Amino acid sequence: MQTRFVFTVRDKTNAANEHAGRVREMFAGIAKRYDLLNHLLSGNVDKRWRRIVAERVREKLSPAHIGSSLILDVACGTGDLSLTLFENTGARVVGTDFCRPMLEIAAGKTSDRIPLIEGDALDLPFRDGAFEVVTIAFGLRNLASVEGGLAELRRVLKPGGWVAVLEFSRPANAMMRPLFGLYFTRVLPLMGGLVSGSRMAYSYLPASVQRFPDQEQLSLLMQRAGFEQVRFENLTGGIAALHMGKRPE
Ligand SMILES: C[S@@+](CC[C@H](N)C(=O)[O-])C[C@H]1O[C@@H](n2cnc3c(N)ncnc32)[C@H](O)[C@@H]1O
C-alpha cells in the first residue's frame, strides 16, 4: 500500500515517551483484530455510539458552511469514527493517530476520502484554530496526560468550535456497576485475549477505564482546559459518555 502518512511526532519527556511507546506498540499488536473485537465485545453498540457522535457534531456545524467545515478526528485508530463523521455530516474530515498499523487499516477503509496524518495527540501537527470540530473517541484515556490532551484539542479548534469526547465512563445505575465491572474485568480480557492474542491489551482496557475520570470529573477537567457550555450525555446507561464543549469565541 502506498503510504501517505506524514510523520510528525516530536520530542517529549522521557516518561511521556515511554508511555506513548507502550501504547503505540500495544495498538500495533492488535490492529488487525481491533475492529472485529470492538464490534464483538460491544455487541455492535459501538457503531451506534459513533453515529450519535456524528449526529451531535452535525448539529454544531453551520448548515450554510457545512461542506467547507473541517473536522479533526484525533486518535482515529482504524477510522470508524472518521468514516461515520464523513458519511453523516457532509463536512470534510481529517484523521490522525500515532500508530501506523491502525492508520493502515483506516486507509484501507477510507481510501482517498479522508486524509490520514500520523501524529501525536499531545503535539498535534496542525496550526492553531484550524478546525470547526475536533473529536476523540476512546483515545483520551490512553494519553500520558488528559489535561495536556484537552489543551491540545482546544488549541487546534477555531474560537467558537466544538470538541466531542467519546469515552467509557461510569454506569449511572448502581445495580449495573458490579455487573458491568465483572464483564469488563473478567469476560472482556479473556475474550479479547483469545481473539487478539494479547491478553495484556484487553486487561489494560478495564484498568485504563478505571483510572479515567468519571462524567462529572471529566466535565470539570474540560472546563479547566478552557471549554465552555460543557455537557455530557450518557450512552447505554453511562457505560460510555459523550462530552461536548465549546472553545470560547
Ligand atoms: C481504543 S483506540 C480508538 C480508535 C478509534 N478512535 C475508535 O473509536 O475506534 C485508541 C487509539 O488511540 C491512539 N492513541 C493513543 N495515544 C495516542 C497519542 N498520544 N497520539 C495519537 N494517537 C494515540 C492509539 O494508537 C489507538 O489507535
Side-chain angles (χ1 to χ4, degrees):
M1 184 192 309
Q2 191 196 350
T3 181
R4 55 198 171 86
F5 310 131
V6 184
F7 192 80
T8 53
V9 179
R10 285 174 238 154
D11 276 354
K12 287 182 298 187
T13 65
N14 277 349
N17 272 334
E18 270 171 34
H19 176 91
R22 277 197 302 273
V23 170
R24 192 189 293 116
E25 202 181 314
M26 189 184 73
F27 281 104
I30 59 167
K32 288 202 174 88
R33 294 289 168 95
Y34 177 82
D35 284 345
L36 169 71
L37 272 163
N38 252 358
H39 307 326
L40 189 75
L41 294 172
S42 76
N44 272 333
V45 175
D46 63 310
K47 294 184 184 171
R48 195 168 67 82
W49 292 343
R50 291 190 185 86
R51 277 199 302 275
I52 292 173
V53 177
E55 275 169 33
R56 299 294 175 268
V57 163
R58 196 185 50 217
E59 289 161 12
K60 299 298 182 197
L61 293 169
S62 143
H65 303 112
I66 220 156
S68 59
S69 296
L70 262 181
I71 301 174
L72 177 67
D73 184 26
V74 177
C76 68
T78 57
D80 275 2
L81 179 60
S82 313
L83 258 180
T84 310
L85 290 163
F86 180 82
E87 286 165 357
N88 293 277
T89 64
R92 292 180 296 154
V93 180
V94 176
T96 184
D97 198 285
F98 73 173
C99 178
R100 188 172 289 211
M102 294 289 272
L103 282 176
E104 281 170 354
I105 309 266
K109 288 192 267 182
T110 58
S111 49
D112 283 336
R113 293 175 292 173
I114 298 174
L116 298 167
I117 312 286
E118 191 167 349
D120 192 327
L122 290 170
D123 190 8
L124 288 167
F126 305 101
R127 65 175 169 80
D128 295 1
F131 298 93
E132 272 80 9
V133 171
V134 177
T135 60
I136 184 165
F138 309 112
L140 196 56
R141 135 182 74 84
N142 295 298
L143 306 185
S145 161
V146 173
E147 289 88 346
L150 290 171
E152 196 55 357
L153 300 179
R154 183 185 186 278
R155 180 185 69 75
V156 298
L157 261 182
K158 283 196 170 129
W162 286 84
V163 69
V165 180
L166 175 62
E167 228 353 308
F168 287 111
S169 205
R170 190 164 193 251
N173 183 325
M175 305 261 282
M176 201 172 140
R177 268 180 230 142
L179 274 179
F180 177 65
L182 205 65
Y183 175 74
F184 225 54
T185 55
R186 302 266 177 243
V187 181
L188 193 139
L190 194 68
M191 280 172 66
L194 283 175
V195 179
S196 73
S198 171
R199 179 95 194 239
M200 189 272 280
Y202 286 86
S203 305
Y204 162 84
L205 172 62
S208 64
V209 172
Q210 274 158 4
R211 279 195 304 269
F212 192 70
D214 67 16
Q215 289 90 329
E216 301 296 343
Q217 291 162 343
L218 181 57
S219 299
L220 208 62
L221 288 179
M222 288 175 67
Q223 284 159 11
R224 284 196 195 134
F227 291 103
E228 61 181 27
Q229 298 181 42
V230 174
R231 305 270 184 284
F232 70 83
E233 178 177 351
N234 278 335
L235 306 176
T236 318
I239 289 176
L242 169 61
H243 284 71
M244 297 199 62
K246 184 180 181 183
R247 178 173 175 173
E249 299 280 356

